[in-house]
Amino acid sequence: MNAFLNKQADGKVMVDKVFKAAVKAREAKLQYGDDAVVDATLGTLFDEEGTFVAFDSVWGVYEGIDKIQKAKYAASIQGNPRFREAVYNWLFGEIDEEIKCEILATPGGAGAISSTIKNILNPGETVIKPSQGWGPYKTMAKEYGVTLTDYNLFKDGCFDIEDFKSTLSNVMKLQGKVLVIINDPCHNPTGYTMSSDEWDQVISFVNNLSKEGPVVILNDIAYVDFNTAGSSWKQHFKKYKTLNENAMAIIAFSTSKTLTAYGARAGAAVCITKNDNELQKFINAGIYSARSIWSTVNNSAMELFADVTMIEENKTLYLKEKQKYVELIKDRANIFVTEANAVGLDIYPFREGFFVTVKIQDDSEKEALNLRLQEKNIFTVEVDGGLRIAICSVPKRKLIGLAQRIKDVL
Ligand code: PLP
């Protein structure tokens, strides 16, 4: 008998490791009580009482949005003009130069990453991603028949620029074009943030490589607003102005973490290149893809972002509330990372952000080790090369002593 689904769709099954681990943690909490369980699975912010954080300074503003505005279609497939202006100001507002770009509203960062992969590469071509990375990069690539290859992320505790260079050069030789994902700052799952010098080396290499063919850097900044340097980190975007004609940067921005608005599904693909013709083609293709897949982005989520970030009084309250959680995560990280170092628990280089990852060299052992941790009521997520601890969702009191407990099991 013929299958109903086409060849590409037949057999597709989404296995969500985070969701699976979170369900197990929830069951353990029901059985043993909340205090007995360390649930480090979810990449969303929880406070010290274990309550999901939804910023008052955001959701209070949402209450004030008129019901007609919430019900209406968005004003444009590219994204409401006011939303696009807000995204520009949020990312580039403190930069003293104009950043020539095109902005496409997308359903979260996921929409920006997915549509970029789709429109940059042909099926059969290869996207380059970090050796440790967000799982859905693989799902998205496969969805478009695109294969993946990794650059090794770390060497001697820093960004492995040599492997980055050789991986990109090899792919350029094979397909005459490069699309590379860089998830920075606050990398998921390791919590690494590249230094300005490491970025300079990346940009300089990309400029050289672009003499051989087009190079696109896809900068996934999902956690940008939880970096400890605050908005000054965004000066980084100025570097994209130095890219050659044959290079392009696409920033995947998301309001999910920025506003604690994960379910609202708003974000943007922000394209920067000197090449006017390619810039126009990128936005044309993006709008076309939007219309064919998600149509328009959530109208009230776009209004919400504009209202929170462009109305001064709202912005002040929001920044104050958010900063409290940036500090909280920093405190949590200090506890876990300091103890990990003290007890000799091997973690990937950590700087800041929602996650820390314990290194498991032998990938085949990872599942068994994770099960043993689960027997001790410690729930983590298996990622490439390790087990991810979402410090964004674990209160400080549960992080104290956790590194030793994990070390004992491993
Ligand atoms: N990129 C990374 C590394 C993430 O961890 C996430 C969310 O977990 C995203 C992008 C996109 O999230 P969203 O589609 O909710 O904006």
Side-chain angles (χ1 to χ4, degrees), residues 10 35 48 69 71 88 103 110 210 234 237-238 262 279 311 333 336 355 360-361 363 370 384 400:
D10 203 6
D35 274 349
E48 289 294 282
Q69 194 61 35
Y88 183 96
I103 298 176
S210 72
K234 293 173 183 165
F237 297 129
K238 236 200 247 186
Y262 321 87
L279 184 63
I311 298 172
F336 186 76
F355 309 105
I360 309 287
Q361 299 292 5
D363 245 14
N370 204 20
D384 290 325
I400 296 169

Side-chain angles (χ1 to χ4, degrees), residues 123-143:
E125 289 184 321
T126 298
V127 59
I128 307 171
K129 68 167 190 66
S131 49
Q132 281 71 42
W134 190 43
Y137 297 145
K138 295 181 197 166
T139 319
M140 292 171 184
K142 285 188 185 155
E143 180 72 0

Side-chain angles (χ1 to χ4, degrees), residues 107-111 113 134 137 183 188 220 222-223 254 256-257 262 265:
I113 298 160
W134 190 43
Y137 297 145
N183 175 205
N188 177 6
D220 178 356
Y223 298 88
S254 166
S256 296
K257 330 280 161 176
Y262 321 87
R265 310 307 308 142

Side-chain angles (χ1 to χ4, degrees), residues 106-169:
T106 58
I113 298 160
S114 169
S115 63
T116 296
I117 294 174
K118 178 175 195 282
N119 285 333
I120 298 289
L121 295 177
N122 292 314
E125 289 184 321
T126 298
V127 59
I128 307 171
K129 68 167 190 66
S131 49
Q132 281 71 42
W134 190 43
Y137 297 145
K138 295 181 197 166
T139 319
M140 292 171 184
K142 285 188 185 155
E143 180 72 0
Y144 301 122
V146 166
T147 56
L148 300 113
T149 194
D150 292 354
Y151 57 89
N152 183 49
L153 200 48
F154 300 116
K155 191 174 176 203
D156 302 330
C158 295
F159 186 72
D160 187 351
I161 187 73
E162 291 313 318
D163 196 75
F164 181 84
K165 288 181 185 174
S166 63
T167 307
L168 269 66
S169 298

Side-chain angles (χ1 to χ4, degrees), residues 295-313:
S295 195
T296 52
V297 165
N298 182 328
N299 195 37
S300 53
M302 288 194 281
E303 283 305 296
L304 178 64
F305 181 71
D307 284 349
V308 170
T309 61
M310 298 224 290
I311 298 172
E312 216 44 51
E313 189 190 336

